[in-house]
Amino acid sequence: MNWSEIRGHDRVIEMFSRAFSRGRLEGSFLFTGPEGVGKRTFAFQLAKTFLCLSPDGFEPCGKCASCRFFDMKYTPPAEEAVQSGKAAPARGRNGAEPADPSAADVPPHPDLFYIAKPADRAQIPIELLAGPKENRGRAGLCYKIHRTPYVGERKVAIIDDADFLNEEGANSLLKTLEEPPRGALMILIGTSPAKQLPTIRSRCQSVRFLPLSTRDLSEILVNRGIAADFEEGKRLARFADGSCKNAAEFRDKSLEQFRPELYRNLAQERIDAAAFSKRVIEFMEEKKKEKDKASDGEIKRRRLALVLSRAARFYRDLTRVLSGETSFLAGNIESGDALRQAAKNRPDPDRAVRCAERTVEALEQIDRMGNPAYIVEAWLADIR
């Protein structure tokens, strides 16, 4: 990959290009922005450029020993797969399972360290950052980033899912973030600066990634095989809020079938919480695909997150309608009719805002590994 393949983030590319040309790229950065807009892809391309032994300006050469590592695919040792009980390709470097499939192929570069929140954990374990208790400070990412590089004179550490750093994990990072070793680049990836502890924010340069434009997102969807052609890409991108992840979710056939029922219920003046809870739980528990190696609990949480993310968007759009903004309804074939009905049944903008906030809270409870069935029942009881 080269920088011309990174779509929608020219402003950020230019910023890093200037820093690189001046020899000021070292340090700690916090990448924030919506999920699915390319923050992780950008971080890996930046790492490739930073570690390249013979860069052509801000472009990696693609030929040196360092660049060749980025063209390989990582396959974890067999013992990692045995210990985890999961298929090896589903895991990333250092035994950490990536947040989504796009991070599974982490380059096996010896001077690139990537960690993420394991799928079965509510937070990033301190062990990935500072080593296990019996070996604290002599293992983990903070220890490895201070070791002598194997290739060249630089190292890169990428901490994905930084929204899930707890206080103990954040504290273990502070010294390294404030004073990275010479030749080191630290990148934290999250969704919002507000989700980071103040001690983390104050030690990193914040870089905001904006949602992708409809055109950029459409082309990415076609290139990745998510959309069959540009027209389908535009259709998926139109309601995806600039996120490749959201657009891919629109292709989930079971969700496509369930969405009309979801919107009809959300549009009612008073939801039958008990009956609809049962339907949402049935959707969560539909038989998983044979190729899906995730646990049953993780699949339920992912499917519930799909429902809640659509509900959060519905209430956000309802707030717009109730505030007098209706122009977007003309092209909204997904939920336009339901929004019009909801506006008649629930003509209270403050109520729509409260429902949106409660839905976002339910999404956060999924991240904290809450029981999916309990989350559904409490959420519907509250928005009722």
Side-chain angles (χ1 to χ4, degrees):
M1 176 179 283
N2 54 46
W3 284 110
S4 64
E5 298 175 65
I6 302 291
R7 305 302 301 270
H9 303 300
D10 293 349
R11 172 187 59 84
V12 184
I13 293 174
E14 177 60 26
M15 181 189 78
F16 278 105
S17 177
R18 289 197 303 268
F20 187 77
S21 65
R22 297 169 183 170
R24 299 178 180 175
L25 190 53
E26 300 175 9
S28 302
F29 294 87
L30 172 62
F31 289 3
T32 61
E35 291 187 37
V37 299
K39 301 187 299 294
R40 187 179 298 109
T41 300
F42 192 102
F44 284 134
Q45 182 64 17
L46 184 61
K48 182 177 183 179
T49 305
F50 185 71
L51 295 173
C52 178
L53 303 179
S54 303
D56 181 10
F58 190 55
E59 200 70 59
C61 70
K63 300 177 181 179
C64 68
S66 178
C67 286
R68 288 199 296 270
F69 278 114
F70 280 85
D71 295 329
M72 301 177 185
K73 288 188 177 181
Y74 176 69
T75 303
E79 61 268 21
E80 282 191 12
V82 172
Q83 290 170 6
S84 69
K86 299 182 180 181
R91 297 180 67 83
R93 282 184 63 87
N94 301 329
E97 187 165 331
D100 70 326
S102 65
D105 296 329
V106 180
H109 197 295
D111 297 324
L112 171 65
F113 305 101
Y114 171 91
I115 65 171
K117 181 182 78 67
D120 59 350
R121 301 288 290 273
Q123 297 173 322
I124 296 178
I126 183 67
E127 289 78 10
L128 295 179
L129 298 164
K133 191 173 183 178
E134 65 276 9
N135 204 27
R136 190 63 47 88
R138 297 188 297 277
L141 180 141
C142 292
Y143 172 78
K144 293 175 181 177
I145 198 69
H146 283 86
R147 304 290 289 175
T148 302
Y150 286 92
V151 182
E153 299 179 350
R154 293 173 172 174
K155 286 196 171 189
V156 176
I158 299 175
I159 302 174
D160 209 342
D161 303 323
D163 294 351
F164 301 99
L165 282 168
N166 59 22
E167 188 171 357
E168 182 184 26
N171 287 340
S172 72
L173 278 172
L174 297 184
K175 184 176 181 181
T176 302
L177 290 176
E178 187 167 10
E179 299 179 4
R182 183 178 178 82
L185 178 64
M186 303 283 294
I187 302 172
L188 280 66
I189 303 175
T191 57
S192 168
K195 290 188 176 182
Q196 314 304 319
L197 291 171
T199 50
I200 293 290
R201 292 199 304 268
S202 65
R203 287 165 171 79
C204 297
Q205 181 176 342
S206 186
V207 181
R208 177 69 178 172
F209 286 74
L210 300 176
L212 297 167
S213 69
T214 298
R215 181 175 184 80
D216 284 332
L217 181 54
S218 300
E219 293 185 5
I220 290 172
L221 295 175
V222 173
N223 292 338
R224 293 187 179 182
I226 297 174
D229 51 41
F230 188 69
E231 286 305 312
E232 184 185 10
K234 284 200 301 184
R235 180 178 65 81
L236 293 172
R238 191 172 295 117
F239 305 110
D241 296 329
S243 165
C244 189
K245 178 183 177 183
N246 289 346
E249 288 173 356
F250 273 92
R251 298 207 67 192
D252 185 311
K253 294 298 183 183
S254 60
L255 177 63
E256 186 176 344
Q257 295 167 359
F258 185 71
R259 276 201 306 264
E261 184 177 357
L262 170 66
Y263 296 143
R264 283 196 304 271
N265 276 273
L266 297 181
Q268 292 178 11
E269 183 176 359
R270 192 170 178 82
I271 297 172
D272 185 341
F276 194 52
S277 291
K278 183 178 179 180
R279 281 292 297 119
V280 175
I281 291 172
E282 287 174 355
F283 173 79
M284 288 187 334
E285 295 178 344
E286 285 182 11
K287 186 177 180 181
K288 66 180 181 180
K289 297 178 182 179
E290 292 182 4
K291 293 182 179 180
D292 198 330
K293 303 299 182 180
S295 67
D296 288 341
E298 176 60 20
I299 291 172
K300 289 178 182 177
R301 285 189 289 273
R302 285 196 323 226
R303 292 180 70 80
L304 177 56
L306 291 179
V307 173
L308 291 173
S309 63
R310 293 302 96 200
R313 180 191 177 93
F314 181 89
Y315 284 123
R316 185 201 66 187
D317 288 346
L318 179 58
T319 303
R320 294 169 64 189
V321 173
L322 294 174
S323 299
E325 184 184 349
T326 59
S327 59
F328 74 99
L329 288 178
N332 190 339
I333 59 175
E334 181 195 6
S335 59
D337 291 342
L339 286 167
R340 294 184 184 93
Q341 187 61 46
K344 293 178 181 178
N345 291 337
R346 298 183 172 195
D348 182 353
D350 290 338
R351 183 180 181 182
V353 169
R354 292 196 302 272
C355 287
E357 291 173 343
R358 180 62 183 87
T359 304
V360 171
E361 181 184 344
L363 277 164
E364 292 172 348
Q365 290 170 342
I366 295 175
D367 290 337
R368 296 196 294 269
M369 309 298 286
N371 183 292
Y374 293 163
I375 292 173
V376 170
E377 292 168 357
W379 167 62
L380 286 173
D382 285 345
I383 65 171
R384 179 172 180 266

